[in-house]
Amino acid sequence: MSRTPAHSSRVVVIGAGIVGCSLADELTARGWTEVTVLEQGPLPAPGGSTSHAPGLVFQTGPSKTLTAFAAYTVQKFRSLDVAGLPCFHQVGGLEIATTEARWADLHRKAGLAASWGVRGELIGPQQCKELWPMLDETVLYGGFHTPDDGLARAVLACRAQIARAERRGARFLERHTVTGIEREDGRVTGVTTDRGTFPADHVVSAAGFWGPVIGAMAGVDVPLLPLAHQYAKTAPLPELAGVNDPRDEASKPILRFQDRDLYFREHTDRIGIGSYAHRPMPVDPFAVAAFDEAPVMPSSLPFTAEDFAPSWQDSVGLLPALGSSRVADGFNGVFSFTPDGMPVLGESRALRGFWLAEAVWVTHSAGVARAVAEWMTDGRPAADIHECDLHRFEDAQRSPAYIADRGAQNFIEVYDVIHPLQPMEAPRPLRTSPFYPRQQELGAYFLEGGGWERPHWYEANAPLAEGLELPARDAWSARHWSPVAAAEARATREKVALYDMTPLRRLEVTGPGALAFLQRMTSNNLAKKPGAVTYTLLLDETGGIRSDLTVARLAPDRFQVGANSGADLDWLLRHAPDEGVQVRDLTSGTCCIGVWGPLARALVQPLTRDDFSHQAFGYFRAKQTYLGHVPVTAMRLSYVGELGWELYTTADLGLRLWDTLWEAGREHGVIAAGRSAFNSLRLEKGYRAWGHDMTTEHDPYEAGVGFAVRPAKGDFLGRAALAGRSEETVSRRLTCLTLDDPAAVVLGKEPVFAHTPDSARAGGAPFGAPAGYVTSAAYGYTLGRGIAYAWLPAGVAVPGTPVHIEYFGEKIPATVATEPLFDPQMERIRR
C-alpha cells in the first residue's frame, strides 16, 4: 500500500475534540508536521461531545483492543498538565453489585482486568463504604476497585496537546465550518470551508457525532447514531463541604451502579450523576444547531426531568444522603453509538486518503489517536484493530435503519451483563442461508453473527442427547448452550452431519494476473495445478497475521478464496493491480454445506458420477461436479477433523442441495449440526480461528501456523519481516490446554496463571501476575474434558506444564497439552 512521504504529507483533521487534538499531537510527534485541524466552534471547547464529557475512564472491558486504548489514554493524560493542573486525576474506579448476577459479573470483569494487565481487586461491602462513605453498604454484595482508573479532563487535555502540536508546526483553526471534501481520481485533495480551501493529501474525520455529515460530503457512509445521554448535578451537599480541593474536584473513585444504569462522580461539593436508564433519544446530526445558535452548546440539549425521575430515586436508594438534596441542573449530552458499540477507524477505499476516527469516547481517545497515527505514517497500527475497522460491517449492516436500531439498542445495553454469545434481538432475521426453512423445521437455536442467522444446535437432535453423561454447567456457561451439542459432536465423529457454512465469506479472484497477485499477497505457495486447495495467510508488512484463507485453484486464472471478513476483501482490492485481476465477493449469491463424518463418502458418492474415493479425490483438493441435479464445487476440507467435503452451489439451488443430501443421508443416520458442536470439534483438532486465536499482533510461528509460510516461493507481503524467525525463536506461543477436572469449563478471555517459585517467593501467593490469557475454549465431547487455547510465554508452553485458569474468581487447574488432541496422524480425514 503506497504511502505519501512524510515530508510532503499534508493532513487536515476535521474536528478539534479530544480525538482530533490527540491525533494532531500523535502525528506531529511522528514527524508529520503539516497538520491543520479545522474546528467549526471556538477553541478549546468547541461544543462537541468533548466539551461536556464527564471524563470517566474505566479501562477494563471484554475488548482487549479497547482496554489497551484506554490504558494508553491514562498513561498519556497522566503525563500532561496545563499550568500545573494535571489532565488526568487518578481517583480510581469502583463498580458495585447489588444483585447476585452483577456480583458474578464483577468476578468475570476482574478476570478480564487480569488478562489485559489492569490492576483491580474485588472488595466487600464495608470496603466499598470506606471508599464511598455515602453508600448504603447494606444493599451491596461487593465491588470491583480499579485504582488506576480516574477522571480525564478532556478540555484540558485538548489544550495541552494543542500547545504541543503547535510547537511542532501544526495549526488549529477555530470557526471554520467544513462545507465540502475535494477529490480527484478517487483520492482526496482538500477540504473546503466557509473561510477558504485547504489542500490535503490526507483528511481525517474526527468530527464526533457530526461524522455522518462529513462522511456524506466525501461520499463515505459513517455507521454511527448520535444519542442523548442524561447528566445531572446535585445541589451542594453538606457531606462534601470542604472535602475536595476545587482544583481536583474529586477524591473518591468514580462510582458505577450498573444494576440501575447509573454512574457518579464528585464535582467538589456536588455529585454528578449520569444515566443510561432512560429511553433512547436519537439525534439527527444534520439538524444539530450551530455553536452560536445553540442555547448552551451544540452537544448539550435541554434536560428532560421526567426521563431522569426514576434514576433520581435509584440514586437516593444507593446514596441516602441525596434524599435531602435535589437535581440542581442537568443536560442531555450527545455522543455516538455504532451498531456493535465499537469505534469506526480506517481509510476509505472509495476515497483514498480519507480517514475515519469516529465514535470514540474520551476513555479511548489517545489510544485511538496513536493507532490511527501509526496507521497513517507506518502503514499499520501496532495494535490489532479488526474490531474497529470501518470495513467490518456488511452491506446489510450499513443501512440507516439498521444503524438506528442497533445504535439505540447498544445505548440500552451499555451497562447490561452481556454474555459473549448473546445475540442481538433485532433486526432479526436479517441474513439467512437458503437452508433456513429446513433449519427452522428442525428446531434450530439461532445465534447471530455478521447479520447471519447461525444454528448453534437443533432441538430435533434432543433424543440423541438422552443418556449422555455430561458434567453439570454453571448458570453462565449454560447460557446459549445445550447438551444437544454433545450429541451432534458425537454423531459427527460416528456417522455424518450437515453443517451450514454459508456465513463464511467467499471471494473470487480471476484474470491472467490472478496467480501472481495471490502469490504476492499470501504466504503459502499457490502455484499448483487446478484442483488444488491451499491453506495460506494474509500478512502485513511486519509479518502479523491479517487473516487466514483457503484458496482453491479452480482453473488456471480462477481462484475461490475462503476469507474471514470484509476487511479481507478490502485488503485485496486495495492491493489489486488496475489490470489483469478482478476480485469480487461471491458470498450472498452462493451457499455452502459441510458434510463431515466417517460416513460422508457413503452419503455423497451415490449422488455423483465422479469418483470421490481418497485416491481420486484427495485431501485439500477441489472438483466441480454435480450432486443429483445440483452443480457444486466440492472441496475436500474439514474443519472438524473428520472425512468430508465443503459443498458450494448458488443460492437459488441451496435448498435443493440440502434436500438432496438429507434424503441420501437418511440411511446413514445423517443429522444437521450447529456451531456449538463445530467449535468443540475444531478445538479438539487444534484448528485456529482468526480474530480469536490470532491477529495482526501475532506472527505465524507464534500462532502455530508456520507451516503455511513458504519463503522459498519468492517474495510476498510480510516475507522480509519473518526472516530469521521460526518456531524455535518465538518468545510466546498459542498453547493448547486441557482442564484437569473433567467437569470444568471456561469460555474465553480468562487469565492464565503459571505457578512459579519466583511468584511464590514474592508474597507467598502461588500465582502472582497472569502469564497469559485464553483465546478460544469449549468442552471437548470426544475427549471428555474442557479445552482452552491461550497465549503463554514459550517457557510455560511446554507439554505437561501445570497452569491455572481463573474463572469467576476460581483457579481451575489445567495442563499444557501436545496438539492436536484428536487424531494427530490425520487418519480420519485422509481415508
Side-chain angles (χ1 to χ4, degrees):
M1 192 183 305
S2 62
R3 294 283 164 195
T4 307
H7 62 81
S8 63
S9 293
R10 298 166 300 177
V11 181
V12 173
V13 178
I14 301 173
I18 191 62
V19 177
C21 293
S22 297
L23 179 58
D25 182 54
E26 295 288 338
L27 285 171
T28 55
R30 287 164 174 77
W32 282 29
T33 56
E34 293 186 67
V35 176
T36 301
V37 182
L38 302 175
E39 174 52 59
Q40 63 183 343
L43 294 175
S49 301
T50 299
S51 301
H52 72 245
L56 282 68
V57 178
F58 280 90
Q59 298 172 77
T60 307
S63 168
K64 179 176 179 289
T65 298
L66 287 192
T67 300
F69 285 166
Y72 181 72
T73 300
V74 169
Q75 173 192 332
K76 183 176 186 179
F77 289 0
R78 282 182 63 185
S79 70
L80 300 175
D81 70 89
V82 175
L85 195 61
C87 294
F88 186 81
H89 189 23
Q90 190 176 312
V91 294
L94 176 62
E95 300 180 53
I96 50 123
T98 60
T99 64
E100 288 187 13
R102 183 67 62 181
W103 185 226
D105 189 58
L106 291 186
H107 281 75
R108 185 176 68 95
K109 184 163 282 186
L112 290 170
S115 289
W116 313 146
V118 178
R119 287 200 304 154
E121 179 186 13
L122 292 164
I123 60 177
Q126 189 56 44
Q127 290 171 288
C128 292
K129 188 172 181 64
E130 290 170 5
L131 291 170
W132 255 86
M134 294 172 65
L135 278 171
D136 177 5
E137 78 279 14
T138 65
V139 303
L140 303 183
Y141 282 80
F144 178 51
H145 180 224
T146 47
D148 298 327
D149 290 336
L151 296 167
R153 294 184 169 99
V155 174
L156 209 63
C158 284
R159 287 178 59 189
Q161 292 179 103
I162 288 172
R164 198 155 69 174
E166 284 181 332
R167 288 195 295 270
R168 301 187 189 114
R171 57 178 177 166
F172 289 75
L173 303 178
E174 62 182 2
R175 301 287 189 174
H176 281 64
T177 299
V178 174
T179 58
I181 306 296
E182 296 195 337
R183 65 196 98 168
E184 185 177 335
D185 296 329
R187 183 166 189 91
V188 72
T189 59
V191 177
T192 303
T193 76
D194 58 351
R195 299 175 66 178
T197 298
F198 298 84
D201 302 302
H202 299 273
V203 172
V204 185
S205 178
F209 61 80
W210 284 285
V213 179
I214 302 301
M217 297 178 191
V220 176
D221 63 308
V222 180
L224 67 81
L225 176 72
L227 287 149
H229 159 62
Q230 292 199 295
Y231 193 78
K233 290 182 182 178
T234 68
L237 296 166
E239 291 81 1
L240 294 181
V243 171
N244 295 315
D245 184 332
R247 284 174 55 86
D248 294 333
E249 286 194 340
S251 57
K252 299 176 185 60
I254 314 160
L255 179 64
R256 286 213 281 195
F257 182 20
Q258 292 172 296
D259 288 323
R260 291 295 183 271
D261 297 310
L262 294 169
Y263 63 83
F264 306 85
R265 59 151 294 184
E266 295 171 295
H267 291 275
T268 310
D269 61 350
R270 305 198 292 170
I271 290 179
I273 307 169
S275 172
Y276 294 98
H278 54 81
R279 61 191 168 91
M281 294 185 270
V283 174
D284 181 357
F286 292 87
V288 175
F291 187 90
D292 293 324
E293 298 170 0
V296 180
M297 66 175 81
S299 64
S300 181
L301 303 182
F303 188 65
T304 51
E306 65 277 10
D307 289 307
F308 194 75
S311 292
W312 177 253
Q313 293 304 314
D314 288 334
S315 299
V316 172
L318 182 70
L319 306 172
L322 298 185
S324 58
S325 186
R326 60 184 174 83
V327 173
D329 57 75
F331 64 96
N332 291 0
V334 183
F335 65 136
S336 304
F337 283 79
T338 60
D340 60 4
M342 300 293 285
V344 180
L345 312 178
E347 182 186 20
S348 168
R349 189 178 67 253
L351 182 59
R352 287 166 294 149
F354 183 79
W355 296 77
L356 296 180
E358 297 291 11
V360 182
W361 294 7
V362 171
T363 302
H364 312 111
S365 55
V368 163
R370 178 174 68 170
V372 173
E374 290 170 341
W375 208 342
M376 294 174 70
T377 59
D378 301 333
R380 70 180 292 275
D384 164 53
I385 52 82
H386 80 273
E387 296 174 308
C388 311
D389 193 305
L390 69 91
H391 299 96
R392 69 188 182 273
F393 295 114
E394 305 290 336
D395 287 345
Q397 296 174 301
R398 305 184 79 95
S399 71
Y402 186 94
I403 293 165
D405 288 347
R406 291 305 306 149
Q409 188 62 30
N410 272 313
F411 178 90
I412 293 170
E413 295 175 351
V414 113
Y415 276 174
D416 286 0
V417 176
I418 303 293
H419 192 276
L421 292 177
Q422 180 172 320
M424 66 182 190
E425 296 178 2
R428 290 181 65 191
L430 184 62
R431 307 178 79 188
T432 59
S433 79
F435 324 128
Y436 187 65
R438 300 294 181 262
Q439 293 166 342
Q440 289 179 301
E441 293 168 5
L442 294 170
Y445 182 87
F446 292 102
L447 298 182
E448 181 273 342
W452 288 101
E453 295 296 320
R454 301 185 180 200
H456 271 241
W457 68 83
Y458 295 85
E459 285 300 325
N461 296 324
L464 301 177
E466 295 175 4
L468 290 182
E469 294 186 5
L470 298 172
R473 289 208 168 203
D474 64 276
W476 186 252
S477 65
R479 288 193 197 181
H480 308 296
W481 174 85
S482 169
V484 174
E488 293 176 359
R490 181 175 179 177
T492 307
R493 292 279 188 238
E494 296 180 354
K495 293 183 179 180
V496 62
L498 306 184
Y499 288 82
D500 182 1
M501 305 302 289
T502 301
L504 299 183
R505 186 173 295 271
R506 292 169 293 286
L507 310 177
E508 183 182 67
V509 181
T510 58
L515 175 61
F517 169 63
L518 288 172
Q519 284 283 74
R520 179 168 57 87
M521 294 302 298
T522 70
S523 63
N524 211 333
N525 188 9
L526 306 181
K528 301 172 183 176
K529 294 180 180 179
V533 183
T534 306
Y535 177 82
T536 188
L537 307 172
L538 287 180
L539 304 177
D540 64 20
E541 294 88 342
T542 68
I545 304 171
R546 284 193 57 94
S547 189
D548 63 342
L549 313 173
T550 53
V551 179
R553 192 175 192 183
L554 302 180
D557 294 342
R558 182 162 69 93
F559 296 80
Q560 181 171 311
V561 178
N564 283 298
S565 73
D568 296 347
L569 174 62
D570 174 68
W571 184 252
L572 292 175
L573 286 173
R574 285 179 187 274
H575 288 84
D578 294 333
E579 296 180 358
V581 177
Q582 296 81 44
V583 181
R584 67 187 186 105
D585 193 333
L586 302 175
T587 311
S588 61
T590 55
C591 58
C592 178
I593 299 176
V595 183
W596 292 311
L599 301 182
R601 183 176 287 114
L603 191 160
V604 299
Q605 183 63 81
L607 299 174
T608 178
R609 296 180 180 181
D610 286 311
D611 187 351
F612 270 52
S613 68
H614 181 63
Q615 293 73 24
F617 197 160
Y619 190 50
F620 265 82
R621 299 291 299 173
K623 184 177 293 189
Q624 293 177 293
T625 184
Y626 289 86
L627 295 183
H629 298 92
V630 182
V632 300
T633 298
M635 297 187 195
R636 179 96 184 269
L637 305 175
S638 175
Y639 206 52
V640 299
E642 293 292 338
L643 170 69
W645 288 264
E646 292 179 358
L647 303 174
Y648 299 88
T649 192
T650 52
D652 59 323
L653 290 167
L655 198 57
R656 184 62 176 263
L657 176 61
W658 179 282
D659 290 345
T660 299
L661 294 169
W662 189 261
E663 186 61 34
R666 285 182 182 274
E667 64 179 288
H668 304 293
V670 70
I671 67 161
R675 298 285 298 183
S676 187
F678 178 89
N679 196 48
S680 170
L681 296 168
R682 70 104 178 164
L683 285 178
E684 289 182 336
K685 193 60 182 167
Y687 293 143
R688 277 67 169 140
W690 184 86
H692 295 278
D693 300 318
M694 55 190 186
T695 69
T696 54
E697 295 181 1
H698 312 108
D699 77 31
Y701 304 110
E702 297 172 324
V705 290
F707 63 87
V709 179
R710 293 287 187 270
K713 76 167 185 174
D715 194 29
F716 57 87
L717 192 61
R719 179 178 183 268
L722 294 181
R725 301 191 211 179
S726 68
E727 293 184 6
E728 288 69 38
T729 64
V730 301
S731 60
R732 59 178 178 174
R733 297 183 192 278
L734 182 62
T735 307
C736 180
L737 308 175
T738 54
L739 278 56
D740 295 354
D741 181 355
V745 294
V746 298
L747 297 184
K749 300 186 178 181
E750 297 89 356
V752 180
F753 296 82
H755 187 166
T756 66
D758 289 341
S759 65
R761 282 196 297 270
F767 299 110
Y773 59 90
V774 174
T775 57
S776 294
Y779 195 82
Y781 300 110
T782 313
L783 303 174
R785 66 183 60 248
I787 304 166
Y789 271 76
W791 281 101
L792 293 173
V796 176
V798 178
T801 302
V803 297
H804 286 77
I805 302 172
E806 184 178 294
Y807 181 72
F808 285 89
E810 179 185 357
K811 298 292 194 303
I812 297 177
T815 303
V816 175
T818 301
E819 60 171 333
L821 298 168
F822 179 79
D823 189 26
Q825 303 304 316
M826 302 285 285
E827 295 171 351
R828 298 176 70 90
I829 291 179
R830 293 182 170 134
R831 61 178 173 181

